[in-house]
Amino acid sequence: MEGGGRPSAAQAVLLVASTALTALVYSVYRQKARVARGLEGARRVRLDGDLRAVLLEAPGRCVPYAVIEGVVRSVKETLSSQFVENCKGVVQRLTLQEHKMVWNRTTHLWNDYEKIIHQRTNTTPFDLVPQEEGTGVTVRVMKPLDAAELSLETVYEKFHPSVQSFTDVIGHYISGERPKGIQETEQMLKVGTALTGVGELVLDNTTIKLQPPKQGMPYYLSSVDFHTLLQKQESNVRFWKILTVIFGFATCAVLFFVLRKQYRHHRERRHLKQMQDEFRQAQERLMHEMNAEGGETLKNACVVCLSNTKSCVFLECGHVCSCSECYQALPEPKRCPICRQAISRVVPLYNS
């Protein structure tokens, strides 16, 4: 603690940082909990012949947050894989990723480093259709790339290692970067994939559309079923809740430490003031007795016990106010009863 009982700069920074982290983690937890509650309260609808009637009865022909499950089917042409024969899809993502080792000057270790140097995503319009044929009901999926968990299957992956000469190796050690190679990846949302969509379901003229919701809830296109998707979000909420509790306890511990220091400082100041008041009262009584009796004995009496003769000189302050017995009884660290200055040494006083 600094003078006046104020927290030190380090304690103040620690308290502010822990409070800010707790508030940040709590805000993330609340957002995750809101998403999980919204997902749990989403309306589950079946992709069957009754779907159009459900939307006609809904306000504005719209279900703001709905869950629907179906199979992917392209509307027009499908996208063909560049590397795998007879692999058709509606979303295709091609990625080139650089892999290299980078020298860390702090830890003196080589660390793996990955960087996407090129990525291209192709899409074509597609619908969700029932797994059972013959119902004739389809749902057009809008803006699939805006989905929070767009499930793409990796259909091709190949690593191209870099070829290095001896001169290149020396140059890489000098520069602190060692290329490992390029990884080429192709991901696709294939035709026939079972998909769980969560978003706004709307009837637009004769077309049923699944699109991103307007109230800020996340948009999902996942290959897992709705129950698994909900469990994943609830697990995420539990993780952030535990983090919030941990950071909250840490903040409370720092606050308790600071308040305890302040309380101890306040208690020491109050005890010091009490001792000063008692000493002042003793001095006043001594002066009153000296004035009343005029005796030489009281003039040389110890200011602590008022019975023995003063026999000690306190250095460095120079006060002569105590007998040797009362000096020995002073608490550590020993301080002068007159000025409260620390006593470095004591010189005996001899009266002739």
Side-chain angles (χ1 to χ4, degrees):
M1 303 291 287
E2 295 179 347
R6 296 187 303 272
S8 64
Q11 292 171 349
V13 170
L14 182 60
L15 182 60
V16 171
S18 61
T19 303
L21 282 175
T22 302
L24 177 62
V25 173
Y26 177 69
S27 65
V28 175
Y29 159 70
R30 287 193 60 183
Q31 193 269 337
K32 298 291 183 182
R34 184 180 69 88
V35 169
R37 287 194 303 268
L39 189 60
E40 187 177 4
R43 181 177 177 180
R44 301 194 65 177
V45 296
R46 293 179 59 85
L47 188 53
D48 54 19
D50 297 332
L51 178 58
R52 190 177 300 274
V54 170
L55 291 174
L56 287 173
E57 295 176 358
R61 297 185 176 185
C62 170
V63 178
Y65 207 47
V67 180
I68 192 165
E69 297 178 351
V71 176
V72 174
R73 188 183 70 183
S74 62
V75 176
K76 299 178 181 179
E77 298 180 356
T78 57
L79 301 174
S80 299
S81 171
Q82 294 187 5
F83 306 97
V84 181
E85 293 184 0
N86 300 323
C87 184
K88 305 289 185 178
V90 293
V91 179
Q92 179 189 48
R93 179 171 292 163
L94 301 170
T95 305
L96 291 178
Q97 190 173 38
E98 179 187 15
H99 292 257
K100 61 183 177 181
M101 303 287 288
V102 177
W103 177 255
N104 191 317
R105 301 184 185 277
T106 303
T107 61
H108 299 285
L109 296 172
W110 288 96
N111 298 327
D112 289 324
Y113 178 78
E114 299 176 359
K115 179 183 178 182
I116 296 178
I117 57 179
H118 179 72
Q119 188 175 79
R120 186 176 81 250
T121 303
N122 303 319
T123 62
T124 187
F126 67 95
D127 292 338
L128 291 181
V129 300
Q131 294 185 359
E132 301 83 7
E133 297 291 338
T135 58
V137 180
T138 62
V139 174
R140 180 68 51 83
V141 178
M142 311 299 295
K143 300 181 179 179
L145 298 183
D146 292 347
E149 296 189 10
L150 180 60
S151 300
L152 300 180
E153 179 184 350
T154 301
V155 297
Y156 175 81
E157 188 174 21
K158 186 175 181 180
F159 184 75
H160 304 275
S162 60
V163 180
Q164 304 175 20
S165 64
F166 180 73
T167 307
D168 295 332
V169 172
I170 296 177
H172 296 155
Y173 271 97
I174 295 175
S175 64
E177 293 187 359
R178 293 163 49 190
K180 297 172 63 177
I182 303 295
Q183 183 172 346
E184 190 175 15
T185 306
E186 182 182 26
Q187 297 173 299
M188 297 190 73
L189 178 58
K190 296 194 295 185
V191 173
T193 303
L195 210 61
T196 300
V198 184
E200 183 182 68
L201 201 61
V202 59
L203 178 60
D204 185 8
N205 295 326
T206 59
T207 306
I208 302 176
K209 297 180 179 180
L210 178 68
Q211 57 192 18
K214 295 183 175 62
Q215 66 269 33
M217 296 298 292
Y219 181 37
Y220 294 103
L221 291 174
S222 177
S223 60
V224 300
D225 60 88
F226 176 71
H227 180 68
T228 305
L229 183 62
L230 181 59
Q231 281 187 332
K232 181 179 179 181
Q233 297 304 319
E234 290 175 345
S235 176
N236 206 3
V237 170
R238 286 193 295 270
F239 170 76
W240 284 101
K241 184 178 182 179
I242 292 173
L243 276 186
T244 302
V245 172
I246 292 174
F247 279 99
F249 272 119
T251 302
C252 291
V254 174
L255 182 61
F256 172 78
F257 176 77
V258 172
L259 293 178
R260 181 171 174 268
K261 287 286 187 180
Q262 288 184 325
Y263 170 74
R264 292 180 61 182
H265 179 81
H266 175 72
R267 187 177 61 180
E268 290 176 358
R269 290 187 58 184
R270 185 174 60 183
H271 181 64
L272 177 60
K273 186 177 183 303
Q274 182 180 359
M275 291 181 60
Q276 291 175 341
D277 292 340
E278 292 176 355
F279 177 73
R280 185 171 60 252
Q281 292 174 5
Q283 277 189 323
E284 291 176 355
R285 287 197 304 270
L286 179 62
M287 294 300 297
H288 178 73
E289 293 176 2
M290 289 178 59
N291 293 334
E293 299 179 5
E296 188 67 22
T297 302
L298 289 177
K299 183 177 181 181
N300 293 325
C302 171
V303 299
V304 179
C305 63
L306 298 178
S307 57
N308 296 331
T309 305
K310 300 174 183 177
S311 59
C312 299
V313 181
F314 296 151
L315 299 178
E316 302 296 333
C317 63
H319 284 119
V320 181
C321 58
S322 171
C323 62
S324 59
E325 289 81 0
C326 291
Y327 165 72
Q328 296 296 334
L330 289 176
E332 295 290 343
K334 297 184 183 299
R335 297 180 180 275
C336 174
I338 302 296
C339 62
R340 303 300 300 165
Q341 185 175 343
I343 301 173
S344 60
R345 60 193 181 98
V346 178
V347 177
L349 178 66
Y350 300 100
N351 294 321
S352 58

